[in-house]
Coordinates of all heavy atoms in Angstrom, one line a residue:
M107 N 0.8 -1.2 0.0 CA 0.0 0.0 0.0 C 0.9 1.3 0.0 O 0.5 2.2 -0.7 CB -0.9 0.0 1.2 CG -1.9 1.1 1.3 SD -3.1 1.0 0.0 CE -4.2 2.2 0.5
P108 N 1.9 1.4 0.8 CA 2.7 2.6 0.8 C 3.4 2.8 -0.6 O 3.6 3.9 -1.0 CB 3.8 2.4 1.9 CG 3.2 1.3 2.8 CD 2.3 0.5 1.9
S109 N 3.8 1.7 -1.3 CA 4.4 1.9 -2.6 C 3.4 2.4 -3.6 O 3.8 3.2 -4.5 CB 5.0 0.6 -3.0 OG 4.0 -0.4 -3.2
V110 N 2.1 2.1 -3.5 CA 1.1 2.6 -4.4 C 0.9 4.1 -4.1 O 0.8 4.9 -5.1 CB -0.2 1.8 -4.2 CG1 -1.3 2.5 -5.0 CG2 -0.1 0.4 -4.6
L111 N 0.9 4.5 -2.9 CA 0.7 5.9 -2.5 C 2.0 6.7 -3.0 O 1.8 7.8 -3.5 CB 0.5 6.1 -1.0 CG -0.8 5.6 -0.5 CD1 -0.8 5.8 1.0 CD2 -1.9 6.3 -1.1
L112 N 3.1 6.1 -2.8 CA 4.3 6.8 -3.3 C 4.3 6.9 -4.8 O 4.7 8.0 -5.4 CB 5.6 6.0 -2.9 CG 6.9 6.6 -3.3 CD1 7.1 8.0 -2.7 CD2 8.1 5.7 -2.9
G113 N 3.9 5.9 -5.5 CA 3.8 5.9 -7.0 C 2.8 7.0 -7.4 O 3.0 7.7 -8.4
L114 N 1.6 7.1 -6.8 CA 0.6 8.1 -7.1 C 1.1 9.5 -6.9 O 0.9 10.4 -7.6 CB -0.7 7.8 -6.4 CG -1.5 6.6 -6.8 CD1 -2.7 6.4 -5.9 CD2 -1.9 6.8 -8.3
A115 N 1.9 9.7 -5.8 CA 2.5 11.0 -5.5 C 3.5 11.4 -6.5 O 3.5 12.5 -7.0 CB 3.1 11.0 -4.1
L116 N 4.3 10.4 -6.9 CA 5.3 10.7 -8.0 C 4.6 11.0 -9.3 O 5.0 11.9 -10.1 CB 6.3 9.6 -8.2 CG 7.3 9.4 -7.0 CD1 8.1 8.2 -7.2 CD2 8.2 10.7 -7.0
L117 N 3.6 10.3 -9.6 CA 2.8 10.6 -10.9 C 2.2 12.0 -10.8 O 2.2 12.7 -11.8 CB 1.7 9.5 -11.1 CG 0.8 9.7 -12.3 CD1 1.6 9.5 -13.6 CD2 -0.3 8.7 -12.3
A118 N 1.6 12.3 -9.7 CA 1.0 13.6 -9.5 C 2.0 14.7 -9.7 O 1.8 15.8 -10.3 CB 0.3 13.8 -8.2
F119 N 3.2 14.5 -9.0 CA 4.3 15.5 -9.1 C 4.8 15.7 -10.6 O 4.9 16.8 -11.1 CB 5.5 15.0 -8.2 CG 6.7 15.9 -8.4 CD1 6.8 17.2 -7.9 CD2 7.8 15.3 -9.0 CE1 7.9 17.9 -8.0 CE2 9.0 16.1 -9.2 CZ 9.0 17.4 -8.7
W120 N 4.9 14.5 -11.3 CA 5.4 14.6 -12.7 C 4.3 15.3 -13.6 O 4.7 16.1 -14.4 CB 5.6 13.1 -13.2 CG 6.0 13.1 -14.6 CD1 7.2 13.4 -15.1 CD2 5.2 12.6 -15.7 NE1 7.1 13.2 -16.5 CE2 5.9 12.7 -16.9 CE3 3.9 12.1 -15.8 CZ2 5.4 12.4 -18.1 CZ3 3.4 11.7 -17.0 CH2 4.2 11.9 -18.2
L121 N 3.0 15.0 -13.4 CA 2.0 15.6 -14.2 C 2.0 17.1 -13.9 O 1.8 17.9 -14.8 CB 0.7 15.0 -13.9 CG 0.5 13.6 -14.5 CD1 -0.9 13.0 -14.0 CD2 0.5 13.7 -16.0
Y122 N 2.1 17.5 -12.6 CA 2.1 18.9 -12.3 C 3.3 19.6 -13.0 O 3.1 20.7 -13.6 CB 2.2 19.1 -10.8 CG 2.5 20.6 -10.4 CD1 1.5 21.5 -10.5 CD2 3.8 21.0 -10.1 CE1 1.7 22.8 -10.2 CE2 4.0 22.3 -9.8 CZ 3.0 23.2 -9.8 OH 3.3 24.5 -9.5
C123 N 4.5 19.1 -12.9 CA 5.6 19.7 -13.5 C 5.5 19.7 -15.1 O 5.8 20.7 -15.7 CB 6.9 19.0 -13.1 SG 7.3 19.2 -11.4
L124 N 5.0 18.7 -15.7 CA 4.9 18.6 -17.1 C 3.8 19.6 -17.6 O 4.1 20.4 -18.5 CB 4.5 17.2 -17.5 CG 4.3 17.0 -19.0 CD1 5.7 17.2 -19.7 CD2 3.8 15.6 -19.3
F125 N 2.7 19.7 -16.9 CA 1.7 20.7 -17.2 C 2.2 22.1 -17.1 O 1.9 23.0 -17.9 CB 0.4 20.4 -16.4 CG -0.7 21.4 -16.7 CD1 -1.5 21.2 -17.9 CD2 -1.0 22.4 -15.9 CE1 -2.5 22.1 -18.2 CE2 -2.1 23.3 -16.2 CZ -2.8 23.1 -17.3
D126 N 2.9 22.3 -16.0 CA 3.4 23.7 -15.7 C 4.4 24.1 -16.8 O 4.4 25.2 -17.3 CB 4.1 23.7 -14.3 CG 4.5 25.0 -13.9 OD1 3.7 26.0 -14.1 OD2 5.5 25.2 -13.2
A127 N 5.3 23.1 -17.2 CA 6.3 23.4 -18.2 C 5.6 23.7 -19.6 O 6.0 24.6 -20.3 CB 7.3 22.3 -18.4
I128 N 4.6 22.9 -19.9 CA 3.9 23.1 -21.2 C 3.1 24.4 -21.2 O 3.1 25.1 -22.3 CB 3.0 21.9 -21.5 CG1 3.8 20.6 -21.7 CG2 2.0 22.2 -22.6 CD1 3.0 19.4 -21.8
T129 N 2.5 24.8 -20.2 CA 1.7 26.0 -20.2 C 2.5 27.3 -19.9 O 2.0 28.4 -20.0 CB 0.6 25.9 -19.1 OG1 1.1 25.7 -17.8 CG2 -0.4 24.8 -19.5
T130 N 3.8 27.2 -19.5 CA 4.6 28.4 -19.2 C 5.0 29.0 -20.6 O 5.4 28.3 -21.5 CB 5.8 28.0 -18.5 OG1 5.5 27.4 -17.2 CG2 6.7 29.2 -18.2
P131 N 4.8 30.3 -20.7 CA 5.2 31.0 -21.9 C 6.7 30.8 -22.2 O 7.5 30.8 -21.3 CB 4.9 32.5 -21.7 CG 3.9 32.5 -20.6 CD 4.2 31.3 -19.8
E132 N 7.1 30.7 -23.5 CA 8.4 30.5 -23.9 C 9.4 31.5 -23.3 O 10.5 31.2 -22.9 CB 8.5 30.5 -25.4 CG 9.9 30.2 -26.0 CD 10.4 28.8 -25.9 OE1 9.5 27.9 -26.0 OE2 11.6 28.6 -25.6
G133 N 9.0 32.8 -23.3 CA 9.9 33.8 -22.8 C 10.2 33.8 -21.3 O 11.1 34.4 -20.8
D134 N 9.3 33.1 -20.6 CA 9.5 33.1 -19.1 C 10.3 31.9 -18.6 O 10.7 31.9 -17.4 CB 8.1 33.0 -18.4 CG 7.3 34.3 -18.6 OD1 7.9 35.3 -19.0 OD2 6.1 34.2 -18.3
V135 N 10.6 30.9 -19.5 CA 11.4 29.8 -19.1 C 12.8 30.1 -18.9 O 13.4 30.9 -19.7 CB 11.2 28.6 -20.1 CG1 12.1 27.4 -19.8 CG2 9.8 28.2 -20.2
R136 N 13.4 29.6 -17.8 CA 14.8 30.0 -17.5 C 15.8 28.9 -17.9 O 15.4 27.7 -17.9 CB 15.0 30.2 -16.0 CG 14.2 31.4 -15.5 CD 14.5 31.7 -14.1 NE 14.1 30.5 -13.2 CZ 14.7 30.1 -12.1 NH1 15.7 30.8 -11.7 NH2 14.3 29.1 -11.4
N137 N 17.0 29.2 -18.2 CA 18.2 28.4 -18.4 C 18.2 27.5 -19.7 O 19.3 27.3 -20.2 CB 18.4 27.5 -17.2 CG 18.8 28.3 -16.0 OD1 19.5 29.3 -16.1 ND2 18.2 28.0 -14.9
L138 N 17.1 26.9 -20.1 CA 17.0 26.1 -21.3 C 15.8 26.4 -22.1 O 14.9 27.0 -21.6 CB 17.0 24.6 -20.9 CG 18.2 23.9 -20.3 CD1 17.8 22.5 -19.9 CD2 19.4 23.9 -21.2
P139 N 15.8 26.1 -23.4 CA 14.6 26.3 -24.2 C 13.4 25.4 -23.6 O 13.7 24.4 -23.1 CB 15.0 25.9 -25.6 CG 16.5 26.0 -25.6 CD 16.9 25.7 -24.2
K140 N 12.2 25.9 -23.8 CA 11.1 25.2 -23.3 C 11.0 23.7 -23.8 O 10.7 22.8 -23.0 CB 9.8 26.0 -23.7 CG 8.5 25.4 -23.2 CD 7.4 26.3 -23.6 CE 6.1 25.7 -23.3 NZ 5.0 26.6 -23.7
I141 N 11.3 23.5 -25.0 CA 11.2 22.1 -25.6 C 12.2 21.2 -24.9 O 11.8 20.0 -24.7 CB 11.4 22.1 -27.1 CG1 11.1 20.8 -27.7 CG2 12.8 22.5 -27.5 CD1 9.6 20.4 -27.7
L142 N 13.3 21.7 -24.5 CA 14.3 20.8 -23.8 C 13.8 20.5 -22.4 O 14.0 19.4 -21.9 CB 15.7 21.5 -23.8 CG 16.4 21.5 -25.1 CD1 17.8 22.2 -24.9 CD2 16.6 20.1 -25.6
W143 N 13.1 21.5 -21.8 CA 12.6 21.2 -20.4 C 11.5 20.1 -20.5 O 11.4 19.2 -19.7 CB 12.0 22.4 -19.8 CG 13.1 23.3 -19.2 CD1 13.4 24.5 -19.6 CD2 13.9 23.0 -18.1 NE1 14.4 25.0 -18.8 CE2 14.7 24.1 -17.8 CE3 14.0 21.9 -17.2 CZ2 15.7 24.1 -16.8 CZ3 14.9 21.9 -16.2 CH2 15.8 23.0 -16.0
V144 N 10.6 20.2 -21.5 CA 9.6 19.2 -21.7 C 10.2 17.8 -22.0 O 9.7 16.8 -21.4 CB 8.6 19.7 -22.8 CG1 7.6 18.6 -23.1 CG2 7.9 20.9 -22.4
L145 N 11.2 17.8 -22.9 CA 11.8 16.5 -23.1 C 12.5 15.9 -21.9 O 12.4 14.7 -21.6 CB 12.9 16.7 -24.2 CG 12.3 16.8 -25.7 CD1 13.5 17.1 -26.6 CD2 11.6 15.5 -26.1
M146 N 13.1 16.8 -21.1 CA 13.8 16.3 -19.9 C 12.7 15.8 -18.9 O 12.9 14.8 -18.2 CB 14.5 17.5 -19.2 CG 15.4 17.0 -18.0 SD 16.2 18.4 -17.2 CE 17.2 19.0 -18.5
L147 N 11.6 16.4 -18.8 CA 10.5 16.0 -18.0 C 9.9 14.6 -18.4 O 9.6 13.8 -17.6 CB 9.4 17.0 -17.9 CG 9.7 18.2 -17.0 CD1 8.7 19.4 -17.3 CD2 9.6 17.9 -15.6
V148 N 9.8 14.4 -19.7 CA 9.3 13.2 -20.2 C 10.3 12.0 -20.0 O 10.0 10.9 -19.6 CB 8.9 13.3 -21.7 CG1 8.6 12.0 -22.3 CG2 7.7 14.3 -21.8
L149 N 11.6 12.3 -20.3 CA 12.6 11.3 -20.2 C 13.1 11.0 -18.8 O 13.5 9.9 -18.5 CB 13.8 11.6 -21.1 CG 13.5 11.8 -22.6 CD1 14.7 12.3 -23.4 CD2 13.0 10.5 -23.2
L150 N 13.2 12.0 -18.0 CA 13.6 11.8 -16.6 C 12.6 12.4 -15.6 O 12.7 13.5 -15.1 CB 14.9 12.6 -16.4 CG 16.1 12.3 -17.3 CD1 17.2 13.3 -17.2 CD2 16.6 10.9 -17.0
P151 N 11.5 11.7 -15.4 CA 10.3 12.2 -14.7 C 10.7 12.8 -13.3 O 10.4 13.9 -13.0 CB 9.4 11.0 -14.6 CG 9.8 10.1 -15.6 CD 11.2 10.3 -15.8
G152 N 11.3 12.1 -12.5 CA 11.6 12.5 -11.1 C 12.6 13.6 -11.1 O 12.4 14.7 -10.6
L153 N 13.8 13.4 -11.6 CA 14.9 14.3 -11.7 C 14.5 15.5 -12.5 O 14.8 16.7 -12.2 CB 16.1 13.7 -12.2 CG 17.4 14.6 -12.3 CD1 17.8 15.1 -10.9 CD2 18.5 13.9 -13.0
G154 N 13.8 15.3 -13.6 CA 13.4 16.4 -14.5 C 12.5 17.4 -13.8 O 12.6 18.6 -13.9
G155 N 11.6 16.8 -13.0 CA 10.6 17.6 -12.2 C 11.3 18.5 -11.2 O 11.0 19.7 -11.1
V156 N 12.2 17.9 -10.5 CA 13.0 18.7 -9.5 C 13.8 19.8 -10.2 O 13.8 20.9 -9.7 CB 13.9 17.8 -8.6 CG1 14.8 18.5 -7.8 CG2 13.0 16.8 -7.8
L157 N 14.5 19.4 -11.3 CA 15.3 20.4 -12.0 C 14.4 21.6 -12.5 O 14.8 22.7 -12.5 CB 16.1 19.8 -13.1 CG 17.2 18.9 -12.6 CD1 17.9 18.2 -13.8 CD2 18.2 19.7 -11.8
W158 N 13.2 21.2 -13.0 CA 12.3 22.2 -13.6 C 11.9 23.2 -12.5 O 11.9 24.4 -12.7 CB 11.0 21.5 -14.1 CG 9.9 22.5 -14.4 CD1 8.8 22.6 -13.7 CD2 9.8 23.5 -15.4 NE1 8.0 23.6 -14.1 CE2 8.6 24.2 -15.2 CE3 10.7 23.9 -16.4 CZ2 8.2 25.3 -16.0 CZ3 10.3 25.0 -17.2 CH2 9.1 25.6 -17.0
L159 N 11.5 22.7 -11.3 CA 11.1 23.6 -10.2 C 12.2 24.4 -9.7 O 12.0 25.6 -9.4 CB 10.5 22.7 -9.1 CG 9.2 22.0 -9.4 CD1 8.8 21.2 -8.1 CD2 8.1 23.0 -9.8
L160 N 13.5 23.9 -9.7 CA 14.6 24.7 -9.2 C 15.2 25.6 -10.2 O 15.6 26.8 -9.9 CB 15.7 23.8 -8.7 CG 15.3 23.0 -7.4 CD1 16.4 22.0 -7.1 CD2 14.9 23.9 -6.3
L161 N 15.3 25.2 -11.5 CA 16.1 25.9 -12.5 C 15.3 26.4 -13.7 O 15.8 27.4 -14.3 CB 17.2 25.0 -13.0 CG 18.2 24.5 -11.9 CD1 19.2 23.5 -12.6 CD2 18.9 25.6 -11.3
G162 N 14.2 25.9 -14.0 CA 13.5 26.2 -15.2 C 12.3 27.1 -15.1 O 11.9 27.8 -15.9
R163 N 11.6 26.9 -14.0 CA 10.3 27.5 -13.7 C 10.6 29.0 -13.6 O 11.5 29.5 -13.0 CB 9.7 27.0 -12.4 CG 8.3 27.4 -12.2 CD 7.7 26.5 -11.2 NE 6.3 26.7 -11.2 CZ 5.5 27.0 -10.2 NH1 6.1 27.1 -9.0 NH2 4.2 27.1 -10.3
P164 N 9.6 29.8 -14.1 CA 9.8 31.3 -14.0 C 9.8 31.7 -12.5 O 9.2 31.1 -11.7 CB 8.5 31.9 -14.7 CG 7.9 30.7 -15.4 CD 8.4 29.5 -14.8
L165 N 10.5 32.8 -12.3 CA 10.6 33.3 -10.9 C 9.3 34.1 -10.6 O 8.6 34.5 -11.5 CB 11.8 34.3 -10.8 CG 13.1 33.7 -11.0 CD1 14.2 34.9 -11.1 CD2 13.5 32.8 -9.9
S166 N 9.0 34.2 -9.4 CA 7.8 35.0 -9.0 C 8.0 36.5 -9.4 O 9.1 36.9 -9.7 CB 7.6 34.9 -7.5 OG 8.7 35.6 -6.8
G167 N 7.0 37.2 -9.5 CA 7.0 38.6 -9.9 C 8.0 39.4 -9.1 O 8.7 40.3 -9.6
Q168 N 7.9 39.3 -7.8 CA 8.8 40.0 -6.9 C 10.3 39.6 -7.1 O 11.2 40.5 -7.1 CB 8.4 39.8 -5.4 CG 9.2 40.6 -4.4 CD 8.7 40.3 -3.0 OE1 8.2 39.3 -2.7 NE2 9.0 41.2 -2.1
A169 N 10.6 38.3 -7.3 CA 11.9 37.9 -7.5 C 12.4 38.4 -8.9 O 13.6 38.8 -9.0 CB 12.0 36.4 -7.5
V170 N 11.6 38.5 -9.9 CA 12.0 39.0 -11.2 C 12.4 40.5 -11.1 O 13.4 40.9 -11.6 CB 10.8 38.8 -12.2 CG1 11.1 39.6 -13.5 CG2 10.7 37.3 -12.5
R171 N 11.5 41.3 -10.3 CA 11.9 42.7 -10.2 C 13.2 42.9 -9.5 O 14.0 43.7 -9.8 CB 10.7 43.4 -9.4 CG 9.5 43.7 -10.2 CD 8.6 44.6 -9.5 NE 8.1 44.0 -8.3 CZ 7.0 43.2 -8.2 NH1 6.4 42.9 -9.3 NH2 6.6 42.7 -7.0
R172 N 13.4 42.0 -8.4 CA 14.7 42.1 -7.7 C 15.9 41.8 -8.6 O 16.9 42.4 -8.5 CB 14.6 41.2 -6.5 CG 14.8 41.9 -5.2 CD 14.9 41.0 -4.0 NE 13.6 40.6 -3.6 CZ 13.1 39.4 -3.4 NH1 14.0 38.4 -3.5 NH2 11.9 39.1 -3.0
Q173 N 15.7 40.7 -9.4 CA 16.8 40.3 -10.3 C 17.1 41.4 -11.3 O 18.2 41.6 -11.6 CB 16.4 39.0 -10.9 CG 17.5 38.4 -11.7 CD 17.1 37.0 -12.3 OE1 15.9 36.9 -12.7 NE2 18.0 36.1 -12.4
R174 N 16.0 42.0 -11.9 CA 16.3 43.0 -12.9 C 16.9 44.3 -12.3 O 17.7 44.9 -12.9 CB 14.9 43.4 -13.6 CG 14.4 42.3 -14.5 CD 13.1 42.7 -15.2 NE 12.6 41.7 -15.9 CZ 11.3 41.6 -16.3 NH1 10.5 42.5 -16.0 NH2 10.9 40.6 -17.0
M175 N 16.5 44.6 -11.1 CA 17.0 45.9 -10.5 C 18.4 45.6 -9.8 O 19.1 46.6 -9.6 CB 16.0 46.4 -9.5 CG 14.8 46.9 -10.1 SD 13.7 47.5 -8.7 CE 12.6 48.4 -9.6
G176 N 18.6 44.4 -9.5 CA 19.9 44.1 -8.8 C 19.6 44.2 -7.3 O 20.3 43.5 -6.5
R177 N 18.7 45.0 -6.8 CA 18.4 45.1 -5.4 C 17.0 45.8 -5.3 O 16.6 46.5 -6.2 CB 19.4 45.9 -4.6 CG 19.6 47.3 -5.2 CD 20.8 48.0 -4.5 NE 21.3 49.0 -5.3 CZ 21.4 50.2 -5.1 NH1 20.9 50.7 -3.9 NH2 21.9 51.1 -5.9
P178 N 16.3 45.5 -4.2 CA 15.0 46.1 -4.1 C 15.1 47.7 -4.1 O 16.0 48.2 -3.4 CB 14.4 45.6 -2.8 CG 15.5 44.9 -2.2 CD 16.7 44.7 -3.1
G179 N 14.2 48.3 -4.8 CA 14.2 49.8 -4.8 C 13.4 50.3 -3.7 O 12.9 49.6 -2.8
P180 N 13.2 51.6 -3.7 CA 12.3 52.3 -2.7 C 10.9 51.8 -2.8 O 10.4 51.5 -3.9 CB 12.5 53.7 -3.0 CG 12.8 53.8 -4.4 CD 13.6 52.6 -4.7
R181 N 10.3 51.7 -1.6 CA 8.9 51.3 -1.6 C 8.0 52.4 -2.2 O 8.3 53.6 -2.0 CB 8.5 51.0 -0.2 CG 9.1 49.8 0.4 CD 8.6 49.5 1.8 NE 9.2 48.3 2.3 CZ 8.7 47.5 3.1 NH1 7.5 47.8 3.6 NH2 9.3 46.5 3.6
P182 N 6.9 52.0 -2.9 CA 6.0 53.0 -3.3 C 5.4 53.7 -2.1 O 5.2 53.2 -1.1 CB 5.0 52.3 -4.2 CG 5.1 50.8 -3.7 CD 6.5 50.7 -3.2
S183 N 5.1 55.0 -2.4 CA 4.5 55.8 -1.2 C 3.1 55.2 -0.9 O 2.3 54.9 -1.7 CB 4.3 57.2 -1.6 OG 3.5 57.4 -2.7
V184 N 2.9 55.1 0.4 CA 1.7 54.5 0.9 C 0.7 55.7 1.0 O 1.0 56.8 1.5 CB 1.9 53.9 2.3 CG1 0.6 53.3 2.9 CG2 3.0 52.8 2.2
P185 N -0.6 55.4 0.7 CA -1.6 56.5 0.8 C -1.6 57.0 2.3 O -1.7 56.1 3.2 CB -2.9 55.9 0.4 CG -2.5 54.6 -0.4 CD -1.2 54.2 0.1
R186 N -1.6 58.2 2.4 CA -1.7 58.8 3.8 C -3.2 59.0 4.2 O -4.0 59.3 3.4 CB -1.0 60.1 3.8 CG 0.5 60.0 3.6 CD 1.3 61.2 3.6 NE 0.6 62.4 4.1 CZ 1.1 63.6 4.1 NH1 2.3 63.8 3.7 NH2 0.5 64.6 4.6
G187 N -3.4 58.8 5.5 CA -4.8 59.0 6.0 C -4.9 60.5 6.2 O -4.0 61.3 6.3
P188 N -6.2 61.0 6.4 CA -6.4 62.4 6.7 C -5.7 62.9 7.9 O -5.4 64.0 8.0 CB -7.9 62.5 6.7 CG -8.5 61.1 6.8 CD -7.4 60.2 6.4
D189 N -5.6 62.0 8.9 CA -5.0 62.5 10.2 C -3.5 62.6 10.0 O -2.8 63.2 10.9 CB -5.3 61.5 11.3 CG -4.9 60.1 11.0 OD1 -4.8 59.8 9.9 OD2 -4.7 59.3 12.0
D190 N -2.9 62.2 8.9 CA -1.5 62.4 8.7 C -1.2 63.7 7.8 O 0.0 64.0 7.6 CB -0.9 61.2 8.0 CG -0.8 60.0 8.8 OD1 -0.8 60.1 10.1 OD2 -0.9 58.9 8.3
D191 N -2.2 64.3 7.3 CA -2.1 65.4 6.4 C -2.1 66.7 7.2 O -3.1 67.0 7.8 CB -3.2 65.4 5.4 CG -3.1 66.5 4.4 OD1 -2.1 67.2 4.3 OD2 -4.1 66.6 3.6
P192 N -1.0 67.5 7.3 CA -1.0 68.7 8.1 C -2.0 69.7 7.6 O -2.6 70.4 8.5 CB 0.4 69.2 7.9 CG 1.1 68.3 6.9 CD 0.2 67.2 6.6
D193 N -2.3 69.8 6.3 CA -3.3 70.8 5.9 C -4.7 70.4 6.4 O -5.5 71.3 6.8 CB -3.3 70.8 4.3 CG -2.1 71.4 3.8 OD1 -1.4 72.2 4.5 OD2 -1.7 71.0 2.6
F194 N -5.0 69.1 6.4 CA -6.3 68.7 6.9 C -6.4 69.0 8.4 O -7.4 69.4 8.9 CB -6.5 67.2 6.6 CG -7.7 66.6 7.2 CD1 -9.0 66.8 6.7 CD2 -7.6 65.9 8.4 CE1 -10.1 66.3 7.3 CE2 -8.8 65.4 9.0 CZ -10.0 65.6 8.4
L195 N -5.3 68.7 9.1 CA -5.4 69.0 10.6 C -5.5 70.5 10.9 O -6.3 70.8 11.8 CB -4.1 68.4 11.2 CG -4.0 66.9 11.2 CD1 -2.6 66.5 11.8 CD2 -5.1 66.2 12.0
R196 N -4.9 71.3 10.1 CA -5.0 72.8 10.3 C -6.4 73.2 10.1 O -7.0 74.0 10.8 CB -4.0 73.5 9.4 CG -2.7 73.8 10.1 CD -1.9 74.8 9.2 NE -1.7 74.3 7.9 CZ -0.6 73.6 7.5 NH1 0.4 73.4 8.4 NH2 -0.4 73.2 6.3
D197 N -7.0 72.7 9.0 CA -8.4 73.1 8.6 C -9.3 72.5 9.7 O -10.3 73.2 10.0 CB -8.7 72.5 7.2 CG -10.1 72.9 6.8 OD1 -10.4 74.1 6.8 OD2 -10.8 72.0 6.3
L198 N -9.1 71.4 10.2 CA -10.0 70.8 11.2 C -9.9 71.6 12.5 O -10.9 71.9 13.1 CB -9.6 69.3 11.5 CG -10.4 68.6 12.5 CD1 -11.8 68.4 12.0 CD2 -9.8 67.2 12.7
D199 N -8.7 72.0 12.8 CA -8.5 72.9 14.0 C -9.3 74.2 13.9 O -9.9 74.7 14.8 CB -7.0 73.1 14.2 CG -6.7 73.8 15.6 OD1 -7.4 73.4 16.6 OD2 -5.9 74.7 15.6
R200 N -9.2 74.8 12.7 CA -9.9 76.1 12.4 C -11.4 75.9 12.6 O -12.1 76.7 13.2 CB -9.6 76.6 11.0 CG -8.3 77.3 10.9 CD -8.1 78.0 9.6 NE -6.7 77.8 9.2 CZ -6.3 77.4 8.0 NH1 -7.1 77.0 7.1 NH2 -5.0 77.3 7.8
R201 N -11.9 74.8 12.0 CA -13.3 74.5 12.1 C -13.8 74.3 13.5 O -14.8 74.8 13.9 CB -13.7 73.3 11.2 CG -13.8 73.7 9.7 CD -14.4 72.6 8.9 NE -13.4 71.7 8.5 CZ -13.5 70.4 8.2 NH1 -14.7 69.9 8.2 NH2 -12.5 69.7 7.8
L202 N -13.0 73.6 14.3 CA -13.3 73.3 15.7 C -13.3 74.6 16.5 O -14.2 74.8 17.4 CB -12.4 72.3 16.3 CG -12.6 70.9 15.8 CD1 -11.5 70.0 16.4 CD2 -13.9 70.3 16.2
R203 N -12.4 75.5 16.2 CA -12.3 76.8 16.9 C -13.5 77.7 16.6 O -14.1 78.4 17.4 CB -11.0 77.5 16.6 CG -9.9 76.9 17.3 CD -8.6 77.7 17.1 NE -7.5 76.9 17.6 CZ -6.2 77.3 17.5 NH1 -6.0 78.5 16.9 NH2 -5.3 76.6 18.0
R204 N -14.0 77.6 15.3 CA -15.1 78.4 14.9 C -16.4 77.9 15.6 O -17.3 78.7 16.0 CB -15.3 78.3 13.4 CG -14.4 79.2 12.6 CD -14.7 79.2 11.2 NE -13.6 79.5 10.4 CZ -13.2 79.0 9.2 NH1 -14.1 78.1 8.7 NH2 -12.1 79.3 8.6
E205 N -16.5 76.6 15.8 CA -17.7 76.0 16.4 C -17.7 76.4 17.9 O -18.8 76.5 18.5 CB -17.7 74.5 16.3 CG -18.1 74.1 14.9 CD -18.1 72.6 14.7 OE1 -18.0 71.9 15.7 OE2 -18.2 72.1 13.6
D206 N -16.5 76.5 18.5 CA -16.5 76.8 19.9 C -16.9 78.3 20.2 O -17.4 78.6 21.3 CB -15.1 76.6 20.5 CG -14.7 75.1 20.6 OD1 -15.7 74.3 20.6 OD2 -13.5 74.8 20.7
D207 N -16.7 79.2 19.2 CA -17.0 80.6 19.4 C -18.4 80.9 19.4 O -19.4 80.5 19.1 CB -16.3 81.4 18.3 CG -14.8 81.4 18.5 OD1 -14.3 81.1 19.7 OD2 -14.0 81.6 17.6

């Protein structure tokens, strides 16, 4: 029974890697042409799958940006709330003083 489960797990892993390699756009594949990755996955199911995940699969969007820039750049400015805006606070203070009078 454990060998059947192991075989099914390896089959699922191989199918996942093969489907992922086939559906990945050609320009996003790393290190080898897409056709060579697919051939490697078909001829060497276990090893090819591991190599695909480590060396061939596209990087995540954040990793791609880091790789292109060489290092992470400045963070985009976060929207400020009204209580962080000095103009809003001054205007609010003026309105509150008028109501008190």
Side-chain angles (χ1 to χ4, degrees):
M107 183 68 164
S109 62
V110 172
L111 291 176
L112 181 62
L114 287 175
L116 287 174
L117 178 65
F119 172 71
W120 177 72
L121 286 173
Y122 169 76
C123 291
L124 184 63
F125 181 75
D126 190 37
I128 290 171
T129 58
T130 299
E132 180 74 37
D134 292 345
V135 177
R136 297 183 298 147
N137 296 318
L138 290 175
K140 181 177 174 177
I141 189 70
L142 289 179
W143 280 115
V144 172
L145 284 174
M146 187 182 302
L147 285 164
V148 170
L149 298 175
L150 305 167
L153 180 63
V156 171
L157 292 174
W158 165 252
L159 292 177
L160 294 176
L161 302 174
R163 192 164 196 232
L165 296 173
S166 68
Q168 185 179 20
V170 168
R171 282 190 299 275
R172 238 185 278 130
Q173 187 179 35
R174 286 183 186 159
M175 293 179 164
R177 58 188 153 118
R181 292 183 178 209
S183 63
V184 179
R186 294 178 13 181
D189 57 338
D190 293 333
D191 185 6
D193 295 330
F194 174 79
L195 292 175
R196 268 191 300 270
D197 184 49
L198 183 64
D199 189 43
R200 280 188 217 129
R201 281 191 270 159
L202 288 173
R203 287 184 186 178
R204 283 186 206 145
E205 288 178 9
D206 288 342
D207 293 337

